[in-house]
Amino acid sequence: MHELTFGGLTIAYDHQVLQPRPWTAAQSVWASELLDQSPSGPVLELCAGVGHIGLAAIQDSNRDLVMVDFNPVAEHFAQHNAVVNAMAKRVEFRLARMEQALADDERFSLIIADPPWVRTTETSRFPADPVPAIDGGDDGLELARICVDLINQHLADGGSALLQLGTTDQVRLIAQHAQQLGAGAVAIHETKIFDDGVIVHLAR
Ligand SMILES: C[S@@+](CC[C@H](N)C(=O)[O-])C[C@H]1O[C@@H](n2cnc3c(N)ncnc32)[C@H](O)[C@@H]1O
């Protein structure tokens, strides 16, 4: 087991999950800022891994957090990280494919999503990363599109979502996907570009 500090939290992980990436602390900071203006209700983290981004986002609030990931090793560490950082009572982990993890009528005030975004043919460029944690399918966006669909269905009125992507080209394609969801669907309101990835803010 390894440990690092992320957003002031002590986070455990091992080689069977994606190592927490320091730049993604920006997603937690942005999420906690949005949370101050979001309606009441729980936070959802899709593709949570060991849970550090969601935990850091809610640490200074009294919000509950639902984490979703299909990797049992990620669940083990996420539960451990929630306990060690004194947030276990506010955290529920759902070990499932995200497509099957939510009831139709569930709504969340803030949704954080960190899907894999590497093309299948390019995953060998990242030998230290477990393939299921980074493999985004043929064009890298298969899981990101599912995240947008789930955000569109489960975001509460007045809520916000922060989706992690790899490149600004991917942002353009995801914006097109959101547009195809029709009138009243979520759209990209702001994009922040970092050295190792991109975060977009989606809202209605
Ligand atoms: C890019 S990693 C992000 C993990 C963590 N949030 C982070 O930033 O380190 C993607 C995560 O999505 C999970 N995952 C991939 N496909 C999934 C699916 N269909 N349903 C649920 N989780 C999935 C993987 O197990 C992995 O933990």
Side-chain angles (χ1 to χ4, degrees):
M1 179 174 101
H2 306 289
E3 262 182 15
L4 51 66
T5 301
F6 183 92
L9 305 178
T10 301
I11 298 296
Y13 64 98
D14 77 3
H15 66 282
Q16 299 168 86
V17 296
L18 193 64
Q19 177 172 344
R21 295 151 295 156
W23 79 270
T24 61
Q27 193 172 9
S28 303
V29 171
W30 196 0
S32 91
E33 289 165 3
L34 290 168
L35 211 43
D36 287 343
Q37 315 142 27
S38 297
S40 60
V43 175
L44 171 67
E45 183 172 17
L46 299 170
C47 301
V50 300
H52 47 293
I53 298 174
L55 289 173
I58 65 156
Q59 64 178 325
D60 294 328
S61 74
N62 57 4
R63 304 282 185 147
D64 291 336
L65 171 65
V66 174
M67 296 180 185
V68 178
D69 201 290
F70 67 5
N71 179 351
V73 181
E75 178 185 24
H76 165 78
F77 283 113
Q79 302 274 27
H80 170 88
N81 290 331
V83 170
V84 165
N85 293 288
M87 284 181 267
K89 287 196 177 132
R90 294 198 277 142
V91 171
E92 177 193 350
F93 193 102
R94 299 187 190 171
L95 180 64
R97 300 191 76 82
M98 59 181 159
E99 305 89 312
Q100 288 144 13
L102 304 170
D104 284 350
D105 60 352
E106 281 187 289
R107 295 292 176 271
F108 297 90
S109 167
L110 179 82
I111 302 179
I112 296 167
D114 315 317
W117 41 253
V118 178
R119 287 174 195 265
T120 302
T121 51
E122 293 176 13
T123 52
S124 58
R125 287 175 45 209
F126 307 93
D129 297 340
V131 171
I134 62 168
D135 185 354
D138 285 349
D139 70 349
L141 290 175
E142 285 178 16
L143 282 304
R145 284 192 205 91
I146 292 171
C147 285
V148 172
D149 295 349
L150 292 173
I151 288 166
N152 191 44
Q153 182 179 354
H154 294 283
L155 191 63
D157 288 345
S160 284
L162 291 179
L163 169 70
Q164 205 186 106
L165 296 168
T167 65
T168 50
D169 275 351
Q170 290 185 336
V171 173
R172 190 176 42 78
L173 293 169
I174 284 297
Q176 284 171 5
H177 177 73
Q179 249 175 5
Q180 285 161 11
L181 296 177
V186 293
I188 294 178
H189 282 223
E190 189 179 352
T191 302
K192 291 189 183 177
I193 302 167
F194 301 86
D195 286 346
D196 296 318
V198 181
I199 301 171
V200 295
H201 173 206
L202 292 143
R204 293 191 202 285

